[in-house]
Structure formats: structure tokens, C-alpha cells
Amino acid sequence: MAAGVLALGGVALGCAGPAKVDVADSASNQLNGQSGFIDEDGDQAQNLDMAACLQEKSGAEQRKVALYMMLDSSGSMEESTGSIRTKWDSVQRALRGFLAETRDSDLLLGMQFFPLLKPGVKSFTCKSQSDCGDDGGPCFLSTCRNTSTIQLCRSNSDCPGGPSVNPCVDFGLCSGSDPAAPLACILGQNGSCGPGQGFCQDFDRTCTNATSCDPNRYGTPAVEIQPVTTGLVAIDQALMGKLPEGLTPTVPALTGSLEHARQWAIDHPDQTVATLLATDGLPTECGSAQQTTGTETINQVLNIAAQGANDDPPVRTFVIGVFRPGDDASINNVNAIAQAGGTQKAVFIDSTGEVEQQFLDALREIRSGQLACEFRIPQSEQQLDYFKVNLEFDDGSSTRQLKFVRDSGGCSDNPLGWHYDVDPNQRKPTSIQVCPNICQEVKAAAKGSINLQLGCATILR
């Protein structure tokens, strides 16, 4: 029978016999230690490249990486850092530095911001009800006068009792009241603050329902995924045109980014596609119907990230969190999002330090970490037998046989391991991933390389 031909890094590999199509058609073809596989103590495991079963061996080719960045541009990004710059200024500078570093690489980047405005809303801030449009208000401008708390209104008809008893009036904040619990007052009315509370002053108003909760908005990129060399100018212009404002709708933002990244992965099966969520806050908008913050909404975000990591094709979520040290709730939550999204833990940025350099280092770490140690699987019309694939690490002076583990969790017990991006017993993998320890060795070795070996039963850990 004619040999099947598989393409790997431009090298033609001949495989004797027909390639197997159904990855789960028999118990003997499952990576579970049953007959037909070499265990880690088997005689062939030490000299696999000399075994009669070996058909072809070739250097594995790294996959191109596509990142869809979902960048937090909420109002809190205007807060100061340990340097003279705000969080937003620091993050922008870091992104521009990263683009300059990678402009000649094969990295692909796309970007969107969150929050986004609802259609028809002019701005997150307002000076009149009309600024918020039909669906974005009311403007945080006026309150029914005869109430013990703020009761927003657009006109007198919104206030029970009628205008003579309970008119809709513009309100301000007493200058001498506690900033954490400010006292409201009636603008233009002297003495409305009372003794010791200062005077009634105006403040920046917001449209109370301006934030879009539509995942499709966030899945439509401000800059489409493309090579850095062609997207650099578009990303720079998008950053210049964005001002930090609004709250933090993490649920639709992550949903939309994962949906767009997944579709990109379907359309570009030769690429490793992931999302990058960069944020400085917990979800404050667009959560569950019962509440917009708290445990229930955080759990929604975790479920979204986990679904993306387990989807077909899988899309992992990398997370960068910009917080003050000691903000344990925020740090724990971004770590949980990263873990659910298949990337172990978030990269923490200390907002009291030099945010620009930390953020640039975080981008470098993500690009040169897990994503740098993913390799292409040969694809052809005749599918590869995923249960007869092995990996070998060549450091330039000696070689070591790597052993298969089921997933990234198996790397803790077997640092010299590798795995597919998905379980081949369930569906077709798209990439080979080596464990972090061996990944570091590959990058540290001047002549380090990973060799792909076809034809022999996969060596299990």
C-alpha cells in the first residue's frame, strides 16, 4: 500500500501503512496504558529513535500565535500609579513598546476595549438627559426632592405626589461631607447642606444604563486580528482614540472575545488562538439578573473562561490584573479566571509601582511562555494516528525522550512531559504542547529543539 504523506515544517514525512481516521475506534487506541503502548519502564523507551517501529523523525514546527486582547478602559484606569503616569497611560505605553518589539515577528494581534456604549448613547458622561439617548439613561442628574435617598427622575411626572409636593430637581454633593458616603443637596439652594457640611457643588454626571451588555459588540474587534507588522498603526490609533470611562462589564466582554477568538481558530486551524483579558477591577456591570457584582457574577466569568478552554477548538484565556498589593479579592479572582481559562494563573501588576515596565514584561511573559512551546501537528486528508506520536528533546549535545501526560495538570508530576491541546480520545487535537519545565530548557538551550517521531506507540508517563 502506498505510504501516506504528512507535511511538517516543509518536510515530507512518509508513513508506512494507512493513517487511522477514528481516534476513538478501539480500546487499544486509547491513551490509557492498555496494550499496544510503551510504558515509561519499557526497553524501547530509552532508544526510541533506534526502534524498528520508528518511521519518520523531524524537527517540530512552532505554531503561529494569534492573541485577541480585551483591554479594560473603565474609569478606574485613570487612577495614578507609582510613577507620574496613570494606569491607562502606562498600559498604552507598554502596548506600544510591545508592538515595536514584535513588529517583525509572526505574532498576530487583535484588540477591543471594555466597556462599550450602547448604540445611540453619546457618552458615558452626561450634562442633560438627551446625552444618554432613549436607552442609556437616566442621566445621574436629578432626583425627586421629597425622598430620603436619591430617586433618579427625568421630569416631575417621575415623582409621586406631583410637582408641588415632590418635584424633580437637580442635585449636587455637599463639599464638606464624607467622600466615601457623600451627602446629596439641591443645586442652587443655599443652606441645603446644613452646618459643617460645606456648600452644594456640582460633579461629573453619568448615564446610568449606557454600558452595552451585548457580547456581539465585544466580539466585533476595534482592530481585527492580523500580523503585528500590518496592525501596528491601527492599534496605535485605536489607543489614541480611547478615553477611560465607565464601569467593568467583564461577562459580555469575555464572552464576546472568546466567541470571536474561537471563530478565528476555526477559520485558521494552523494557528494557536487565545484571548488576553487585561483588567484593573472586578465585574460591576452586566452580570446575572439578580445582581451585577459579587460571587454569582464572578462564577459566571469563571464558567465562560472554562467553556472557552474546553470548546472545540479550545481557546484559552490569559489574564493580566492591575491592582494594589493587598487587594486579595481582585487578585484571587483574576487568578481563578486564568485557571478556569487554562492558563494556570494571572500575571499581577502592582499599581503602586512602575506599571508600564511591569505590563510590558507581562506581555513578554505570555508570548514567550506557554504559547512559545506549542507545535504543529501534521495535517493531511488522511488523519494522523495520534496514538503513535512521540517527542524528543535535543539540547544540542544529548537527547531525552519526553513522555505523554493527559493535560497540563500532568506536568506537575512529570515535568519532562507533553500533551495535546485536547484529549484525542474525544476529538481531533490541533497542537502539541510541552510542559513548562522542558519549555524553559528548550528556550535556554542555544541549539535546543523538539523532534517529532511518528510510527511508534506513544510512551506514557
Side-chain angles (χ1 to χ4, degrees):
M1 181 174 291
V5 178
L6 302 173
L8 177 67
V11 180
L13 305 179
C15 294
K20 295 186 179 179
V21 175
D22 187 350
V23 298
D25 62 353
S26 69
S28 63
N29 268 351
Q30 294 179 1
L31 292 171
N32 55 13
Q34 295 185 24
S35 61
F37 293 90
I38 305 171
D39 65 26
E40 59 185 348
D41 297 321
D43 293 337
Q44 294 179 352
Q46 301 303 319
N47 299 290
L48 185 61
D49 59 336
M50 301 299 293
C53 63
L54 184 63
Q55 296 164 2
E56 295 293 341
K57 173 180 173 180
S58 178
E61 180 183 355
Q62 287 184 312
R63 286 166 60 87
K64 288 184 178 180
V65 173
L67 273 180
Y68 186 46
M69 297 187 294
M70 185 56 62
L71 190 60
D72 189 340
S73 59
S74 60
S76 57
M77 291 294 288
E78 284 279 37
E79 294 173 358
S80 60
T81 68
S83 68
I84 60 174
R85 300 184 181 91
T86 66
K87 294 179 187 176
W88 184 245
D89 288 339
S90 299
V91 168
Q92 286 192 84
R93 290 171 65 90
L95 279 170
R96 291 188 174 99
F98 183 69
L99 291 171
E101 287 183 2
T102 58
R103 65 181 305 162
D104 295 324
S105 71
D106 61 1
L107 177 67
L108 296 96
L109 287 178
M111 186 175 67
Q112 185 53 282
F113 305 95
F114 72 113
L116 296 175
L117 288 167
K118 287 181 177 178
V121 181
K122 299 178 182 179
S123 171
F124 286 103
T125 60
C126 53
K127 294 183 178 180
S128 67
Q129 298 294 347
S130 62
D131 291 337
C132 300
D134 295 334
D135 194 33
C139 177
F140 200 69
L141 178 68
S142 306
T143 181
C144 297
R145 178 174 181 172
N146 192 19
T147 58
S148 58
T149 59
I150 297 296
Q151 182 179 335
L152 294 178
C153 54
R154 288 185 173 91
S155 65
N156 288 333
S157 61
D158 295 327
C159 301
S164 60
V165 177
N166 193 18
C168 180
V169 296
D170 290 347
F171 69 94
L173 300 176
C174 293
S175 61
S177 60
D178 182 359
L183 180 65
C185 52
I186 301 174
L187 283 174
Q189 182 172 317
N190 294 330
S192 62
C193 284
Q197 296 295 332
F199 60 92
C200 193
Q201 62 183 5
D202 205 350
F203 62 96
D204 291 335
R205 314 294 175 146
T206 59
C207 295
T208 55
N209 292 295
T211 302
S212 174
C213 294
D214 180 4
N216 292 325
R217 295 289 312 283
Y218 300 96
T220 303
V223 179
E224 182 58 282
I225 298 171
Q226 59 188 293
V228 173
T229 184
T230 63
L232 188 151
V233 173
I235 292 177
D236 181 66
Q237 291 176 342
L239 290 170
M240 285 193 296
K242 194 68 177 177
L243 295 176
E245 55 183 346
L247 299 174
T248 315
T250 310
V251 169
L254 185 57
T255 300
S257 64
L258 284 169
E259 288 177 350
H260 184 70
R262 179 175 177 271
Q263 187 57 54
W264 185 271
I266 292 171
D267 296 339
H268 302 83
D270 59 319
Q271 299 175 14
T272 291
V273 185
T275 61
L276 171 56
L277 177 70
T279 184
D280 77 331
L282 301 178
T284 57
E285 290 282 279
C286 307
S288 64
Q290 290 75 28
Q291 55 186 46
T292 57
T293 59
T295 302
E296 189 168 338
T297 299
I298 292 298
N299 286 340
Q300 280 186 277
V301 176
L302 298 183
N303 289 337
I304 293 164
Q307 181 178 346
N310 293 294
D311 219 330
D312 184 14
V315 177
R316 286 166 292 163
T317 299
F318 291 87
V319 185
I320 299 177
V322 185
F323 304 109
R324 288 181 173 273
D327 187 354
D328 293 339
S330 296
I331 295 171
N332 290 341
N333 279 315
V334 292
N335 277 331
I337 295 170
Q339 185 173 20
T343 57
Q344 309 308 316
K345 64 178 181 179
V347 182
F348 167 60
I349 305 297
D350 178 358
S351 63
T352 65
E354 179 49 69
V355 170
E356 178 184 343
Q357 187 61 51
Q358 292 180 79
F359 202 91
L360 177 57
D361 289 342
L363 293 171
R364 291 168 174 164
E365 178 182 337
I366 289 170
R367 179 176 180 247
S368 64
Q370 287 177 264
L371 295 174
C373 285
E374 299 194 10
F375 301 92
R376 293 181 60 187
I377 294 175
Q379 303 293 327
S380 71
E381 293 181 1
Q382 292 183 344
Q383 288 184 320
L384 177 70
D385 186 341
Y386 298 105
F387 309 105
K388 290 187 178 180
V389 174
N390 285 283
L391 263 66
E392 174 190 72
F393 171 45
D394 185 345
D395 65 7
S397 60
S398 62
T399 60
R400 279 178 285 174
Q401 199 65 49
L402 308 185
K403 299 181 178 68
F404 179 86
V405 295
R406 288 190 176 278
D407 52 34
S408 59
C411 293
S412 58
D413 295 328
N414 187 15
L416 294 181
W418 68 275
H419 56 90
Y420 294 111
D421 59 336
V422 296
D423 183 353
N425 290 299
Q426 303 298 322
R427 60 180 188 266
K428 181 180 178 181
T430 61
S431 69
I432 288 172
Q433 303 171 8
V434 299
C435 291
N437 281 28
I438 200 67
C439 179
Q440 294 301 320
E441 290 193 48
V442 173
K443 290 184 289 185
K447 297 182 180 179
S449 63
I450 294 291
N451 295 320
L452 184 74
Q453 304 160 315
L454 303 178
C456 295
T458 300
I459 300 176
L460 306 177
R461 100 180 141 75

